[in-house]
Amino acid sequence: MAFWRNQKTRGWLYQLAALLVVAACIVWLADNTLDNMRNRGIKSGFDFLSEPAGFAISESLFGFQSTDSYWRAFLAGLGNTLKVAIVGIILTTILGVLLGVGRFSHNILIRGLCLTYVEVFRNVPLLLQLLMWYLVCVEWLPNVREAEPFLGIYLTKAGLALPWFGDVPVKAGFGIKGGVNLSPEFFALLLGLTIYTASYIAEIVRSGIASVPRGQREAALALGLSRGQTMRLIQLPQALRVIIPPLTNQYLNLTKNSSLAVAVGYPELVSIANTSLNQTGRAVECIAVIMAVYLTLSLLTSAFMGWYNRRSAIKER
């Protein structure tokens, strides 16, 4: 048959057959799971999302009360996850690039410090680092009454308070009002994620710069550019094609690693889903929500970084 001899047609048919097999397996697993749950008297479905949650959330971007529904609780958890992920990605990029560039410094002390940072923080498990930073925040930092501001910044057991558009934080009783206040849980999580992920990004940046032919640097210096200008205008732009793909993986890892926030008591998505699961018993549904959210965030991050990679690619004439 001429139809079957076409290699492209056979390829499409094989893919369609594989897709049908996978879909059939998913349907069978779902039906079997629901049947077993019904036999054991376990409720299923997402109707619980409209019921009152009955628990409080210590911090939320959208404002949350215990009388609000479960779906609003999940929304609050998503907002907290996005807050630490977005801020963390920005900070870890800045720190990682500085460390990676610092590995090429002519100052042996700077090179040594950058290398030591990478080797220390990259080889200590993230969970231990989070617990360490949380311990520092709640045990070693001063109380609000004993704290003194530095450039309008308060770093106390109550968290980090920063000035914001002229609104300077000030002491008010047992707390601090004004500015932007970051809880010790959020601050410890952000600090741990940033410091840990930056050690990997530093190596990515270092390897990307090292991949640029040495002649590019020598030509730039011969034209009278300084070392700083050469790095900023010549080496880094050419290194982006090597840096961006693994950098995307680190952004994804940082977002997913935020689920370890439960260890320091920060109410992100997984923490709130665990509380909801314990109260409702809807394990499959709560886990499905977590999986769907992280899958969506990963796909959006990958799509954005793919667009940026294409935009920053070197165009051949």
Side-chain angles (χ1 to χ4, degrees):
M1 296 174 59
F3 174 79
W4 184 251
R5 294 194 190 99
N6 189 303
Q7 185 177 1
K8 185 176 182 181
T9 302
R10 290 202 310 271
W12 278 106
L13 289 176
Y14 290 148
Q15 293 183 51
L16 179 61
L19 182 62
L20 290 175
V21 170
V22 172
C25 291
I26 293 175
V27 170
W28 178 80
L29 287 172
D31 182 69
N32 191 45
T33 300
L34 292 174
D35 186 56
N36 289 332
M37 292 175 65
R38 282 192 297 268
N39 293 336
R40 289 167 173 77
I42 301 175
K43 293 183 179 180
S44 62
F46 292 90
D47 56 301
F48 76 98
L49 291 175
S50 60
E51 299 174 0
F55 60 85
I57 298 177
S58 57
E59 55 184 296
S60 172
L61 290 176
F62 311 106
F64 182 83
Q65 298 179 351
S66 59
T67 55
D68 291 334
S69 59
Y70 279 104
W71 75 265
R72 284 189 60 86
F74 279 104
L75 183 62
L78 174 60
N80 288 340
T81 296
L82 289 176
K83 180 172 70 171
V84 73
I86 293 173
V87 177
I89 285 173
I90 294 172
L91 294 180
T92 200
T93 302
I94 296 172
L95 180 58
V97 170
L98 291 176
L99 290 168
V101 173
R103 294 289 300 276
F104 294 90
S105 173
H106 285 249
N107 188 311
I108 189 172
L109 178 60
I110 294 178
R111 289 202 314 271
L113 289 175
C114 292
L115 175 61
T116 302
Y117 176 100
V118 170
E119 294 302 325
V120 169
F121 290 105
R122 188 175 58 169
N123 292 298
V124 177
L126 175 58
L127 182 58
L128 293 180
Q129 294 190 42
L130 293 178
L131 295 174
M132 178 190 70
W133 292 120
Y134 184 67
L135 179 65
V136 169
C137 290
V138 299
E139 294 292 338
W140 293 358
L141 292 180
N143 295 317
V144 173
R145 289 188 173 184
E146 301 171 352
E148 295 296 332
F150 176 74
L151 300 178
I153 301 173
Y154 284 91
L155 183 58
T156 68
K157 291 182 178 180
L160 179 66
L162 303 168
W164 185 254
F165 290 109
D167 187 10
V168 181
V170 294
K171 294 181 182 180
F174 294 99
I176 297 176
K177 292 184 178 180
V180 176
N181 290 274
L182 308 178
S183 68
E185 293 80 13
F186 174 82
F187 182 61
L189 177 64
L190 179 64
L191 197 60
L193 290 174
T194 299
I195 290 176
Y196 177 78
T197 311
S199 64
Y200 286 89
I201 292 181
E203 282 297 278
I204 292 171
V205 172
R206 182 196 62 78
S207 61
I209 295 173
S211 70
V212 178
R214 187 175 180 179
Q216 296 289 315
R217 176 177 176 275
E218 293 174 349
L221 293 176
L223 290 173
L225 296 180
S226 65
R227 286 196 295 268
Q229 290 174 325
T230 301
M231 179 65 71
R232 179 169 55 88
L233 300 175
I234 305 299
Q235 292 177 283
L236 273 177
Q238 294 187 60
L240 283 178
R241 70 183 188 275
V242 177
I243 292 174
I244 292 177
L247 184 64
T248 303
N249 291 333
Q250 293 306 317
Y251 288 166
L252 298 177
N253 289 336
L254 186 147
T255 303
K256 290 181 286 189
N257 286 338
S258 66
S259 60
L260 294 174
V262 65
V264 296
Y266 179 67
E268 49 73 58
L269 180 66
V270 174
S271 175
I272 290 174
N274 286 335
T275 303
S276 303
L277 186 156
N278 292 330
Q279 292 193 175
T280 63
R282 308 289 178 91
V284 175
E285 291 80 358
C286 290
I287 293 174
V289 170
I290 297 174
M291 292 175 62
V293 168
Y294 278 107
L295 176 61
T296 303
L297 293 179
S298 297
L299 291 176
L300 290 175
T301 303
S302 298
F304 174 78
M305 292 301 293
W307 167 82
Y308 183 71
N309 190 29
R310 292 188 298 271
R311 184 175 180 273
S312 60
I314 298 176
K315 302 295 190 301
E316 297 286 347
R317 289 189 177 183

